[in-house]
Amino acid sequence: TDITTIRNFSIIAHIDHGKSTLADRIMELTGLIAERDKKDQYLDRMELEQERGITIKSQTVRIPYTAPDGSKYILNLIDTPGHVDFSYEVSRSLAACDGALLVVDATQGVEAQTLANVYLALDHDLDVLPVLNKIDLPSAHPEEVCQEIEEAIGLDCGDPILVSAKTGEGVKELLQRLVREIPSPKGDPHQPLKALIFDSWYDSYQGVVVLFRILEGTIKNRQPIRMYSTGKDFEVTRLGVFSPEPTDIEELGPGEVGFLCASIKELDEARVGDTITHPKNPTQEPFPGFKTVKPMVFCGLYPVEPAEYSVLQSALEKLQLNDAAFAYEAETSQALGFGFRAGFLGLLHMEIIQERLEREFGANLIATAPSVIYEIHKTNGEVFEIDNPSKLPSPGEIDTINEPYVRMEIHVPNEYVGNVFKLCEEKRGTQKDLKYLTANRVIITYELPFSEIVYDFFDRLKSMTRGFASLDYEIVDYRPSDLVKLDILINGDPVDAMSCIVHRDNAYYRGRALALKLKRLIPRQLFEVVIQAAIGSKIIAKERNAPLRKNVTAKCYGGDITRKRKLLEKQKEGKRRMKRMGSVEIPQEAFLAAMQVD
Ligand code: GTP
């Protein structure tokens, strides 16, 4: 392939601004997929995978494109995920691109995620083309949105690309602008091989599948390759491109994007960010790589029935094969028995994994409330991190506790600024900045403890702003806080899986609210159930559930109907999960109660 005809690009967008729709339309207008194929795309994909013996995880596609003047191009559309939890994945995909289409919904304007992604793209020196989508809608206001793009991002929007991904209007022009304005890659086929791994996943037929972009040199099928960071050598057993079906190819040159299989058994041996080179003639300058991601949110996962422990274990193993950002280890809880502590990038990541465990693997589990990592400084000089509140040493041994802080940008229409302030102050936030994006859209910057947003922050923000707020955050550092452990006792026994770490100022209030909430969630039994909240040895709240009289059916679980989270909704639909502790039956909701006390 002539390198000057290649264009490697991503589409970056805020969620729901039309990224997938635009990608489909581009594939359709270039003839890569026929219109009639579109509907059953997902199904086709599953069948295809079986037929071709490969799993297609990525949406990255190679699109041959003929411009109206007859010149031919190869467009590599590189997929990026859209959510705040996954910005590291966005970053690694962008590293394989030379340009990006910034899709902004012309009825909505610039959102927090738009900004975050554009900054990532600019960090990678990409040329960014603004594209205003949904111009078919009467409420589109492209001029104002253009102004927002110029003011908020500093991108020239003098000649914006206007499209409707839905009707296809403007998409032909978009392709012409794309090949004109996004630069072709550079690279020398005679240099030693240097290719960047920007995605990899485990495939049950082929072992690990590696998506890469060649920076220098060429790759041929059946040639030996070396992974730069580990020094391990493999032989390419399959080389190809997704177009959109996997298509075998004999050789790829500089600037090209493709996939390879090489009998690689573990995801760890083909790490994203690593450089592929030739064992005989290795490159001297590997790609600098990406920082490894570290789980930030943790929760306990326990089988409802102890006998299901091994089912859960093998499900976790399988999930980890395809998700290097997800970590777990065995853990024992006095209350819940044998289970696992699992680590996630953020709450969404956690919900996705929990849902997959239940849906795909049929695991029947009890999840505990999420916790962040705390850094403990003991009076004897010892310093360590804990990811489980029950591991907090006794107060006498603790000198200081440091907790992670985030810097958060919230985009919101003017009229909701007061509500956002109120919420952030309640969550121990400190305001850092306030900027007007336009006359009625504001960017508010706060620093606040990560633990406060792990609970119900997103839901509350959405409801306080009628869904108009969008946000982005990153962890900045660890800071000392006056924190205490809040314990829950049921009939006098501490339930370690319900312990949580809270700020001292909120401890009494939270303890009382939590005890009251548990009283409602824990069904009445044939005997009295006493629920207590305690800080150290001091009981700060006490509730009791009177015994049932014999003739009353034991079906009155006082389920809380205000829950909004999708996950919890799903759990409600499924069968009710209860864990027997001593003689008391405790439903799953009770373990998550700490998340929704405000
Ligand atoms: P995520 O995959 O969740 O990140 O969203 P996305 O950015 O890929 O958005 P998607 O393509 O799924 O589009 C979101 C919604 O907007 C869908 O309901 C689309 O049908 C709709 N949509 C996308 N483009 C247009 C458009 O040009 N006009 C109109 N009217 N609707 C559109």
mmCIF file of all heavy atoms in Angstrom, residues 15-29:
data_model
loop_
_atom_site.group_PDB
_atom_site.id
_atom_site.type_symbol
_atom_site.label_atom_id
_atom_site.label_comp_id
_atom_site.label_asym_id
_atom_site.label_seq_id
_atom_site.Cartn_x
_atom_site.Cartn_y
_atom_site.Cartn_z
ATOM 1 N N ILE A 15 -20.796 10.609 24.905
ATOM 2 C CA ILE A 15 -21.764 9.525 24.766
ATOM 3 C C ILE A 15 -23.064 10.042 24.146
ATOM 4 O O ILE A 15 -23.539 11.119 24.523
ATOM 5 C CB ILE A 15 -22.047 8.896 26.149
ATOM 6 C CG1 ILE A 15 -20.790 8.180 26.611
ATOM 7 C CG2 ILE A 15 -23.218 7.946 26.112
ATOM 8 C CD1 ILE A 15 -20.788 7.847 28.079
ATOM 9 N N ASP A 16 -23.565 9.277 23.175
ATOM 10 C CA ASP A 16 -24.830 9.590 22.495
ATOM 11 C C ASP A 16 -24.769 10.732 21.484
ATOM 12 O O ASP A 16 -25.801 11.137 20.957
ATOM 13 C CB ASP A 16 -25.950 9.922 23.494
ATOM 14 C CG ASP A 16 -26.561 8.660 24.053
ATOM 15 O OD1 ASP A 16 -26.277 7.589 23.488
ATOM 16 O OD2 ASP A 16 -27.314 8.750 25.036
ATOM 17 N N HIS A 17 -23.589 11.245 21.213
ATOM 18 C CA HIS A 17 -23.522 12.299 20.203
ATOM 19 C C HIS A 17 -23.477 11.742 18.771
ATOM 20 O O HIS A 17 -23.525 12.495 17.824
ATOM 21 C CB HIS A 17 -22.339 13.240 20.477
ATOM 22 C CG HIS A 17 -22.625 14.213 21.581
ATOM 23 N ND1 HIS A 17 -21.946 15.384 21.733
ATOM 24 C CD2 HIS A 17 -23.543 14.181 22.564
ATOM 25 C CE1 HIS A 17 -22.417 16.033 22.790
ATOM 26 N NE2 HIS A 17 -23.389 15.317 23.304
ATOM 27 N N GLY A 18 -23.416 10.404 18.661
ATOM 28 C CA GLY A 18 -23.612 9.804 17.339
ATOM 29 C C GLY A 18 -22.398 9.124 16.729
ATOM 30 O O GLY A 18 -22.346 8.913 15.517
ATOM 31 N N LYS A 19 -21.461 8.728 17.566
ATOM 32 C CA LYS A 19 -20.242 8.103 17.059
ATOM 33 C C LYS A 19 -20.529 6.818 16.267
ATOM 34 O O LYS A 19 -20.083 6.673 15.137
ATOM 35 C CB LYS A 19 -19.312 7.793 18.246
ATOM 36 C CG LYS A 19 -17.959 7.338 17.828
ATOM 37 C CD LYS A 19 -17.076 7.100 19.039
ATOM 38 C CE LYS A 19 -17.435 5.789 19.685
ATOM 39 N NZ LYS A 19 -16.414 5.303 20.604
ATOM 40 N N SER A 20 -21.284 5.907 16.881
ATOM 41 C CA SER A 20 -21.548 4.631 16.199
ATOM 42 C C SER A 20 -22.369 4.825 14.934
ATOM 43 O O SER A 20 -22.115 4.167 13.919
ATOM 44 C CB SER A 20 -22.308 3.671 17.114
ATOM 45 O OG SER A 20 -21.812 3.715 18.404
ATOM 46 N N THR A 21 -23.335 5.708 14.992
ATOM 47 C CA THR A 21 -24.174 5.951 13.820
ATOM 48 C C THR A 21 -23.325 6.500 12.679
ATOM 49 O O THR A 21 -23.463 6.088 11.525
ATOM 50 C CB THR A 21 -25.309 6.937 14.160
ATOM 51 O OG1 THR A 21 -25.912 6.531 15.381
ATOM 52 C CG2 THR A 21 -26.353 6.988 13.077
ATOM 53 N N LEU A 22 -22.428 7.414 12.982
ATOM 54 C CA LEU A 22 -21.574 7.984 11.943
ATOM 55 C C LEU A 22 -20.634 6.919 11.363
ATOM 56 O O LEU A 22 -20.448 6.840 10.151
ATOM 57 C CB LEU A 22 -20.765 9.170 12.485
ATOM 58 C CG LEU A 22 -19.866 9.843 11.455
ATOM 59 C CD1 LEU A 22 -20.689 10.449 10.314
ATOM 60 C CD2 LEU A 22 -18.997 10.924 12.100
ATOM 61 N N ALA A 23 -20.089 6.080 12.223
ATOM 62 C CA ALA A 23 -19.199 5.019 11.742
ATOM 63 C C ALA A 23 -19.952 4.098 10.785
ATOM 64 O O ALA A 23 -19.454 3.753 9.707
ATOM 65 C CB ALA A 23 -18.637 4.231 12.919
ATOM 66 N N ASP A 24 -21.173 3.730 11.146
ATOM 67 C CA ASP A 24 -21.990 2.880 10.269
ATOM 68 C C ASP A 24 -22.226 3.550 8.925
ATOM 69 O O ASP A 24 -22.130 2.932 7.864
ATOM 70 C CB ASP A 24 -23.361 2.606 10.901
ATOM 71 C CG ASP A 24 -23.277 1.545 11.991
ATOM 72 O OD1 ASP A 24 -22.186 0.945 12.134
ATOM 73 O OD2 ASP A 24 -24.276 1.340 12.701
ATOM 74 N N ARG A 25 -22.541 4.848 8.979
ATOM 75 C CA ARG A 25 -22.854 5.572 7.747
ATOM 76 C C ARG A 25 -21.620 5.649 6.834
ATOM 77 O O ARG A 25 -21.717 5.519 5.625
ATOM 78 C CB ARG A 25 -23.358 6.985 8.093
ATOM 79 C CG ARG A 25 -24.165 7.650 7.013
ATOM 80 C CD ARG A 25 -25.439 6.902 6.696
ATOM 81 N NE ARG A 25 -26.314 6.887 7.842
ATOM 82 C CZ ARG A 25 -26.786 5.781 8.400
ATOM 83 N NH1 ARG A 25 -26.490 4.606 7.893
ATOM 84 N NH2 ARG A 25 -27.553 5.834 9.454
ATOM 85 N N ILE A 26 -20.456 5.844 7.436
ATOM 86 C CA ILE A 26 -19.223 5.900 6.649
ATOM 87 C C ILE A 26 -18.983 4.548 5.969
ATOM 88 O O ILE A 26 -18.671 4.476 4.781
ATOM 89 C CB ILE A 26 -18.015 6.283 7.537
ATOM 90 C CG1 ILE A 26 -18.126 7.750 7.965
ATOM 91 C CG2 ILE A 26 -16.693 6.046 6.808
ATOM 92 C CD1 ILE A 26 -17.037 8.208 8.921
ATOM 93 N N MET A 27 -19.186 3.475 6.713
ATOM 94 C CA MET A 27 -18.962 2.146 6.140
ATOM 95 C C MET A 27 -19.944 1.860 5.012
ATOM 96 O O MET A 27 -19.622 1.202 4.037
ATOM 97 C CB MET A 27 -19.077 1.076 7.230
ATOM 98 C CG MET A 27 -17.901 1.110 8.191
ATOM 99 S SD MET A 27 -17.825 -0.349 9.220
ATOM 100 C CE MET A 27 -18.842 0.148 10.574
ATOM 101 N N GLU A 28 -21.147 2.419 5.162
ATOM 102 C CA GLU A 28 -22.174 2.193 4.165
ATOM 103 C C GLU A 28 -21.896 2.995 2.895
ATOM 104 O O GLU A 28 -21.957 2.479 1.788
ATOM 105 C CB GLU A 28 -23.471 2.659 4.792
ATOM 106 C CG GLU A 28 -24.707 2.082 4.258
ATOM 107 C CD GLU A 28 -25.823 2.702 5.057
ATOM 108 O OE1 GLU A 28 -25.979 2.333 6.235
ATOM 109 O OE2 GLU A 28 -26.501 3.585 4.507
ATOM 110 N N LEU A 29 -21.543 4.282 3.064
ATOM 111 C CA LEU A 29 -21.319 5.143 1.902
ATOM 112 C C LEU A 29 -20.083 4.735 1.104
ATOM 113 O O LEU A 29 -19.987 4.993 -0.080
ATOM 114 C CB LEU A 29 -21.172 6.603 2.344
ATOM 115 C CG LEU A 29 -22.489 7.312 2.620
ATOM 116 C CD1 LEU A 29 -22.260 8.691 3.163
ATOM 117 C CD2 LEU A 29 -23.314 7.376 1.322
#
